[in-house]
Amino acid sequence: MTLTEPALTSLAHGGGCGCKIAPDLLQAILAGTPQAAPFASLMVGRETSDDAAVWRLNDSQALVATTDFFMPMVDDPFDFGRIAATNALSDVYAMGATPILALAIVGMPIGKLSVGTIGKVLEGGASVCAAAGIPIAGGHSIDSVEPIYGLVALGLVHPEKVLANRTAREGDVLILTKPLGVGVLSAAFKQGRLDDAGYKALIASTTQLNTLGARLPDLEGVHAVTDVTGFGLLGHALEMARGSGMAIEVDADAPACLPSSIALAEAGVRTGASTRNWTAYGAAVILPDGLAPWRRDLLTDPQTSGGLLISVAPDRAEEVLALARTLGFASACRVGRVLEGPAGVTVVQGP
């Protein structure tokens, strides 16, 4: 008897980084957990909601460790695996590290999905790791109600070259390396409103490895980095502001957007996670008068496997932009700046 398989997205209540627990709820959960004892070798922990943990191994090496997994945002199993793996490795790159190996995290509804479909998910993840030059050296699998895939990702960086989200400096320029709109396009896909060109743009963005991150520690003037994922540009900018004790200004019109994402957002297409994000942190963000609701939706749009947000000295910004574009990040652009002031985010618009 041939298994009639449902679409991957029909088996999941959410997809991609839109599955993340809302930032305010996450903080409430973590606030109730006991603090870990201090460890001399732990360079980066959970204190500022950074992208990965960092453990000093010796004077020349630090281990970067992270895990990331989610439910499908597309129906093609190979693409799902690619997106999830790219997203997981992004946290390593965001710390300025080079990946060394990964472990697979697999949860699949056995009996609903065929062995072949599950295998395609794993093949997609393996193809991304191969492109990054690392093996998937093992992992763990369970029989779960919803399909889940992701990685434990490990990398190495020099202890003096770790890039955290808490070290932005006054006067820095903020650069974003990928366009916004992933959540909008994924919502349109689920609604049957995304054309072939939009789907191709979605896949191209979410499967582009943030390899630029491993090059940033060697550039003078790069002070802080994070990747923009489930909490949207404003949410991750707010984490950088709070971690650094600085005010961050974001230009609403500056970020590049994926093809058709603006038109779809204007038509009211958005994810529930976008609204959830704004509810969670909107009190810490100042918006300009007259900002269109759809523009705010894009700024809070959950970005699965989004770009790097880089805080760099203004006289070095063009060097970073040039390298990003050389490495294939054609949409890299300035999106804001770091200012002295209370930790928070202000959105500006217009000249």
Side-chain angles (χ1 to χ4, degrees):
M1 180 176 178
T2 302
L3 175 67
T4 300
E5 294 187 70
L8 281 178
T9 54
S10 72
L11 296 172
H13 76 278
C17 284
C19 297
K20 292 176 73 170
I21 295 174
D24 56 341
L25 179 56
L26 179 60
Q27 287 299 321
I29 293 170
L30 293 177
T33 60
Q35 290 291 326
F39 291 88
S41 294
L42 184 61
M43 299 178 63
V44 179
R46 73 182 205 195
E47 298 81 10
T48 61
S49 303
D50 219 321
D51 298 299
V54 183
W55 183 271
R56 181 189 292 269
L57 296 174
N58 50 53
D59 290 342
S60 62
Q61 292 178 312
L63 179 69
V64 175
T66 184
T67 182
D68 212 310
F69 53 90
F70 47 60
M71 293 164 284
M73 55 187 283
V74 295
D75 290 325
D76 184 283
F78 189 78
D79 284 345
F80 170 37
R82 292 168 67 205
I83 294 167
T86 305
N87 181 74
L89 292 178
S90 182
D91 286 338
V92 174
Y93 290 123
M95 306 303 294
T98 299
I100 55 171
L101 66 86
L103 305 173
I105 300 168
V106 183
M108 293 290 160
I110 304 302
K112 292 184 178 180
L113 294 178
S114 68
V115 170
T117 293
I118 297 170
K120 285 293 183 182
V121 175
L122 272 61
E123 286 178 26
S127 73
V128 165
C129 288
I134 65 169
I136 296 182
H140 186 68
S141 61
I142 62 170
D143 184 351
S144 64
V145 175
E146 297 179 288
I148 297 168
Y149 180 71
L151 301 176
V152 174
L154 303 176
L156 291 175
V157 64
H158 194 286
E160 296 178 2
K161 294 185 177 182
V162 173
L163 294 173
N165 69 354
R166 61 192 182 197
T167 46
R169 299 185 188 178
E170 179 185 355
D172 279 358
V173 169
L174 292 178
I175 291 172
L176 181 63
T177 60
K178 287 187 183 182
L180 300 179
V182 169
V184 170
L185 294 192
S186 64
F189 172 78
K190 292 178 182 178
Q191 296 172 18
R193 300 172 65 177
L194 188 65
D195 59 20
D196 288 344
Y199 183 81
K200 289 178 180 177
L202 173 66
I203 299 302
S205 179
T206 54
T207 59
Q208 183 179 19
L209 285 164
N210 279 321
T211 51
L212 169 66
R215 303 278 293 272
L216 293 177
D218 294 324
L219 298 184
E220 186 178 346
V222 175
H223 297 140
V225 179
T226 191
D227 64 338
V228 176
T229 54
F231 300 156
L233 174 58
L234 294 185
H236 292 285
L238 182 60
E239 288 181 339
M240 182 179 284
R242 287 172 169 167
S244 303
M246 292 286 173
I248 282 181
E249 183 179 274
V250 173
D251 184 342
D253 298 324
C257 293
L258 287 167
S260 74
S261 62
I262 290 179
L264 287 165
E266 286 181 310
V269 177
R270 64 175 180 270
T271 68
S274 177
T275 302
R276 177 208 66 189
N277 283 341
W278 180 249
T279 300
Y281 56 67
V285 177
I286 299 173
L287 297 180
D289 292 338
L291 184 71
W294 64 266
R295 180 67 74 180
R296 192 199 73 184
D297 287 342
L298 282 172
L299 295 174
T300 60
D301 189 53
Q303 300 304 288
T304 301
S305 191
L308 298 178
L309 183 64
I310 305 165
S311 182
V312 56
D315 60 342
R316 296 291 179 173
E318 287 304 317
E319 182 181 3
V320 171
L321 285 168
L323 177 59
R325 291 163 184 162
T326 297
L327 294 177
F329 297 90
S331 297
C333 60
R334 302 182 188 214
V335 297
R337 55 181 180 156
V338 180
L339 305 170
E340 182 181 10
V345 174
T346 298
V347 178
V348 298
Q349 188 174 36

